[in-house]
Amino acid sequence: MRATAHSALFTVMERAARKAGRQLARDFGEVENLQVSVKSPSDFVSTADLASERTIRAELERARPGFSFLMEEGGVVTGKDPDHVWIVDPLDGTTNFLHSDPHFAISMALAHKGELLAGLIYNPVLDELYWAEKGKGAFLNNRRLRVSGRRDMGEALIGTGIPFRGRGDHAHYLKLLGATMEKVAGIRRAGAAALDLAYVAAGRLDGFFEIGLNKWDIAAGILLIREAGGFVGDLDGGTDAMESGNIVAGNAKLFEPLGKLLLAAGGSGR
Ligand code: IPD
Ligand code: CA
Ligand code: CA
């Protein structure tokens, strides 16, 4: 039995995610073989990434002709209906994928005039499908999701994204990390921002922060967390994480103290 009746919109998104997910899972199997061969696997991974995006776009376009797109690889594609925008990351966790780590996902969301209507994050290796529709709750496969109930920062497990070579202000990030590690039970850098946010929605993480993400990394996750009873904001104390990409998220109790802690440590640093 389904925990909730699926809407036509969800069916469209699920079909696209499962089709692209099958391809990605197959390609992931190949990457493991390439690691031990002399060939560089990175070209192969970009091909898999592009193929995933092509499949998702074709499926979504077929079901909802005219809707617009914001895609990581293909950029902005304005259709006849500029108000409806699919926001797509065809492979989140590329570095994991490249290193044969199965922690990666497809992330897609639908926005209408900037408002998030639906979001889906799919890890095809574990067959974990996280999804949410505005006002209807958040789910993992057929199970309803709630953020964690933890209220003590000292017991909290916090996810983050650590900047890497050529990306971000490393010294500033270390201030945020330093301030957080003083206070919490643990910090995780799992390597796929969309899944980090899905984990907050699922109560596996109590909070999350990262500087400089893109809309396709976070759109689906933001809706999932809100529909699971959590909160999402901007690292500088604002509410619009989608625009800035400097995101802090948390369960109902820890969102505020985590946000304050990060703000006191310098926020986004911008
Ligand atoms: C990356 C992942 C990673 C985050 C990076 C993103 P990609 O996305 O979400 O966790 O730290 O900032 O760019 O490149 O694997 O789609
Ligand atoms: Ca991404
Ligand atoms: Ca990506």
Side-chain angles (χ1 to χ4, degrees):
M1 260 294 274
R2 296 281 195 189
T4 182
H6 283 186
S7 70
L9 177 63
F10 171 75
T11 306
V12 164
M13 293 170 75
E14 180 184 23
R15 192 179 302 131
R18 290 200 185 276
K19 189 166 180 191
R22 275 194 298 277
Q23 277 171 243
L24 277 182
R26 242 188 343 257
D27 290 339
F28 180 69
E30 283 300 306
V31 169
E32 289 193 315
N33 299 329
L34 291 173
Q35 304 289 0
V36 289
S37 81
V38 285
K39 281 181 261 167
S40 151
S42 58
D43 291 346
F44 180 82
V45 172
S46 359
T47 309
D49 192 358
L50 289 167
S52 172
E53 189 170 287
R54 261 200 311 278
T55 297
I56 294 166
R57 181 176 170 185
E59 285 294 313
L60 296 178
E61 222 157 34
R62 197 160 58 87
R64 293 289 185 277
F67 281 20
S68 302
F69 285 90
L70 170 62
M71 297 169 291
E72 177 169 19
E73 307 303 334
V76 175
V77 177
T78 308
K80 281 197 188 118
D81 179 351
D83 291 341
H84 282 99
V85 183
W86 295 112
I87 305 169
V88 178
D89 188 341
L91 170 56
D92 185 53
T94 320
T95 307
N96 288 347
F97 189 100
L98 182 59
H99 289 257
S100 299
D101 177 341
H103 192 77
F104 62 87
I106 288 163
S107 178
M108 65 177 90
L110 179 65
H112 179 249
K113 295 187 175 175
E115 184 191 6
L116 292 167
L117 298 184
L120 177 156
I121 296 167
Y122 181 49
N123 176 336
V125 176
L126 295 180
D127 194 27
E128 287 192 332
L129 193 124
Y130 302 85
W131 57 282
E133 283 186 78
K134 192 174 166 54
K136 295 189 185 168
F139 300 85
L140 166 51
N141 296 328
N142 293 320
R143 182 167 61 81
R144 182 99 191 211
L145 293 180
R146 287 293 302 169
V147 292
S148 72
R150 242 168 243 109
R151 37 181 79 227
D152 181 352
M153 202 64 130
E155 291 173 2
L157 187 60
I158 303 296
T160 187
I162 303 177
F164 40 90
R165 183 166 56 88
R167 268 275 292 269
D169 177 342
H170 295 190
H172 176 69
Y173 175 80
L174 288 173
K175 287 187 201 153
L176 302 191
L177 189 64
T180 310
M181 66 204 259
E182 292 284 312
K183 303 275 185 209
V184 302
I187 300 182
R188 298 289 181 268
R189 197 298 186 240
L195 285 173
D196 291 331
L197 295 170
Y199 277 31
V200 174
R204 294 176 181 173
L205 290 171
D206 304 300
F208 172 76
F209 68 94
E210 184 161 349
I211 299 173
L213 287 171
N214 288 292
K215 287 195 173 102
W216 49 78
D217 299 310
I218 58 180
I222 288 175
L223 187 65
L224 264 149
I225 292 176
R226 290 195 179 132
E227 289 293 324
F231 291 86
V232 180
D234 177 83
L235 275 171
D236 297 308
T239 51
D240 203 355
M242 270 281 271
E243 274 314 310
S244 70
N246 304 319
I247 189 168
V248 52
N251 74 20
K253 300 283 185 262
L254 295 177
F255 169 72
E256 207 182 300
L258 179 62
K260 281 189 177 152
L261 178 79
L262 294 165
L263 188 58
S268 73
R270 285 173 195 150

